[in-house]
Amino acid sequence: MNRLAVRCTEINKKFGDSSALQDMSLELEEGKFLALLGPSGCGKTTLLRLIAGLERPDSGTIEVGERIVAGKEVFVPPEKRRVGLVFQDYALFPHMDVGANVAFGVRRDSNRPRRVEEVLSLVGLRGLEHRMPHQLSGGQQQRVALARALAPRPTVLLLDEPFSNLDADLRVRVRVEVRDVLACAGVTVVFVTHDQEEALFMGDLVGVMNAGRLEQIDSPEGIFHRPATPFVAQFIGTADFLTGQVEDRTIISEVGHIPLQQELPAGQIVKIMVRPDFIDIEPAETGRGIVTGRIFQGIHYLYSIRLPSGAVIRSLQHHNREYPPGLRVALRMNPGHRITYFVDERSAGGYVIGSGQAVSEVCDEGESRGDEH
Ligand code: ADP
Ligand code: MG
């Protein structure tokens, strides 16, 4: 294992009576890019402020570059932590030109002008040293903020929703640039966003937070395909849940019988996650589902299907499959997808739907599109 750039161990932080972070533990290796995602108010900014030294934890320890910077009787001030911060609003000094903004955190004895030139060319702004912040576009200001944070060679760079002030088009362009610049700089990054697409694109690792806790940290694919909790499943991508019951090493559900991959007691109730692209529908008089709604998305229709229990699941269909609300449909599982199931809100396992009709009894009797395969 590489050196750890950041380690948080069981951090707790309260503001008054309300808990902003609870037993938060996190490890990040040097050079990795962690995208932290979670709903507003879940503690993302608080975590960054604790790592930067702008807040003190109530308990727990924080290490930066394998040195304890906050813990029992230890508190290293922000300027001694080798942590860089980029905020939402960039916070450039309006009365200083680009060069002075970038030079701000660099020690005088360390050949300041050369370092400023170096980071400005890294972010593609060489030659703009004498511009004032108000003479720059939003994207350029963003890059100055990045250059200023990188100039003192931080061990860790923390970015708190850095693109939220940019419009959608620019945002997509800037995130590609920023990712490349940071990869080039080789710095360890904790990047906070509330945009899941951005998190999946930017991160080597994605962390999902909820109500002051870290629910899961994994590769982008791991988070999406193997969510640890229903919250993560729902927060990343679109997910619907169905109730199932264990019987004879099988989960019985309304979308079919799913073979169990491990021991669970008979009668155990489980929560099954399905995504709209898992579910195929086909008009059928004897079908179990009824189309209750559809959303036109251009390339696709997103259908809502009500099942006999009253549960509603969604199905993604190509736009040429146009079905009216009220239509009765048979359902089947598309092969190649992993159905994750949860017991007591934790993932208990998953089953990958094989080719053909791997999940039995998905269609109603007399209704078997699976035979075509
Ligand atoms: P996020 O960045 O994920 O939106 P924050 O870390 O800003 O969330 O906030 C987490 C929780 O802590 C919220 O409930 C917020 O109201 C509260 N909080 C954050 N900072 C303070 C503060 N300085 N004083 C009181 N409450 C705070
Ligand atoms: Mg925040």
Side-chain angles (χ1 to χ4, degrees):
M1 187 158 157
N2 291 332
R3 273 168 56 95
L4 287 180
V6 184
R7 175 193 267 156
C8 299
T9 312
E10 291 175 11
I11 303 178
N12 285 283
K13 178 70 185 171
K14 279 187 171 181
F15 293 105
D17 286 340
S18 81
S19 198
L21 289 178
Q22 293 176 63
D23 294 325
M24 162 69 81
S25 295
L26 170 74
E27 286 185 354
L28 189 58
E29 283 178 34
E30 253 178 17
K32 292 284 183 200
F33 193 124
L34 169 66
L36 262 186
L37 193 65
S40 179
C42 72
K44 304 180 297 291
T45 296
T46 302
L47 178 66
L48 295 195
R49 290 176 59 82
L50 283 160
I51 296 171
L54 303 174
E55 302 278 358
R56 285 168 188 260
D58 300 331
S59 61
T61 52
I62 301 172
E63 291 155 76
V64 173
E66 303 193 333
R67 176 172 71 125
I68 295 181
V69 293
K72 238 184 177 165
E73 288 157 25
V74 181
F75 188 79
V76 177
E79 66 278 9
K80 300 236 164 76
R81 288 195 180 190
R82 305 193 63 84
V83 172
L85 254 177
V86 178
F87 293 107
Q88 230 156 21
D89 56 5
Y90 327 141
L92 296 179
F93 306 118
H95 57 288
M96 291 186 191
D97 68 10
V98 167
N101 262 285
V102 174
F104 184 77
V106 185
R107 285 211 315 271
R108 268 169 224 289
D109 58 4
S110 59
N111 200 353
R112 223 157 43 156
R114 217 178 95 209
R115 182 62 185 154
V116 170
E117 206 180 292
E118 230 168 61
V119 286
L120 279 178
S121 59
L122 183 68
V123 301
L125 289 180
R126 226 174 134 183
L128 297 187
E129 285 85 340
H130 301 300
R131 289 270 189 96
M132 297 304 280
H134 73 268
Q135 297 172 313
L136 301 173
S137 70
Q140 287 172 327
Q141 289 182 27
Q142 174 63 59
R143 283 187 273 160
V144 176
L146 204 59
R148 185 178 61 181
L150 286 171
R153 302 181 196 281
T155 305
V156 189
L157 186 63
L158 310 175
L159 299 109
D160 196 355
E161 307 203 22
F163 307 147
S164 51
N165 290 341
L166 306 179
D167 61 45
D169 280 355
L170 188 59
R171 216 180 148 114
V172 171
R173 215 173 65 225
V174 166
R175 76 182 181 205
V176 177
E177 288 171 8
V178 167
R179 195 184 68 159
D180 292 349
V181 165
L182 294 175
C184 238
V187 66
T188 309
V189 179
V190 182
F191 175 93
V192 163
T193 173
H194 58 245
D195 179 335
Q196 53 161 300
E197 200 188 304
E198 202 162 278
L200 295 176
F201 170 77
M202 300 287 278
D204 301 315
L205 293 166
V206 175
V208 179
M209 287 178 63
N210 180 30
R213 294 178 187 277
L214 185 65
E215 298 247 333
Q216 186 174 4
I217 182 165
D218 206 336
S219 64
E221 288 81 1
I223 288 270
F224 187 81
H225 296 305
R226 293 179 298 280
T229 64
F231 177 84
V232 173
Q234 213 160 23
F235 200 75
I236 306 284
T238 307
D240 293 307
F241 298 97
L242 289 164
T243 302
Q245 190 161 17
V246 174
E247 227 176 73
D248 275 346
R249 295 194 63 85
T250 305
I251 299 171
I252 313 292
S253 86
E254 282 190 286
V255 293
H257 296 190
I258 302 157
L260 258 183
Q261 300 294 287
Q262 67 278 300
E263 289 292 329
L264 282 177
Q268 173 77 58
I269 300 292
V270 301
K271 201 167 177 171
I272 299 161
M273 178 200 78
V274 288
R275 298 200 189 271
D277 56 320
F278 295 11
I279 306 286
D280 194 14
I281 54 173
E282 179 83 347
E285 275 171 27
T286 55
R288 286 181 195 172
I290 293 175
V291 174
T292 57
R294 69 172 188 207
I295 295 171
F296 182 51
Q297 299 180 330
I299 295 174
H300 295 110
Y301 276 114
L302 183 64
Y303 286 99
S304 293
I305 313 294
R306 194 176 66 236
L307 300 172
S309 66
V312 174
I313 59 174
R314 286 165 290 181
S315 170
L316 199 63
Q317 298 290 321
H318 195 259
H319 65 70
N320 61 8
R321 299 183 71 183
E322 206 178 315
Y323 305 133
L327 184 72
R328 203 164 259 286
V329 291
L331 300 105
R332 75 189 274 278
M333 287 287 197
N334 291 318
H337 297 286
R338 185 178 192 271
I339 303 180
T340 300
Y341 39 91
F342 302 92
V343 175
D344 297 330
E345 302 298 302
R346 299 301 305 181
S347 171
Y351 178 78
V352 179
I353 304 297
S355 59
Q357 199 75 347
V359 176
S360 59
E361 293 181 32
V362 170
C363 299
D364 300 300
E365 295 107 87
E367 178 53 49
S368 187
R369 283 212 321 139
D371 291 350
E372 294 163 18
H373 293 258

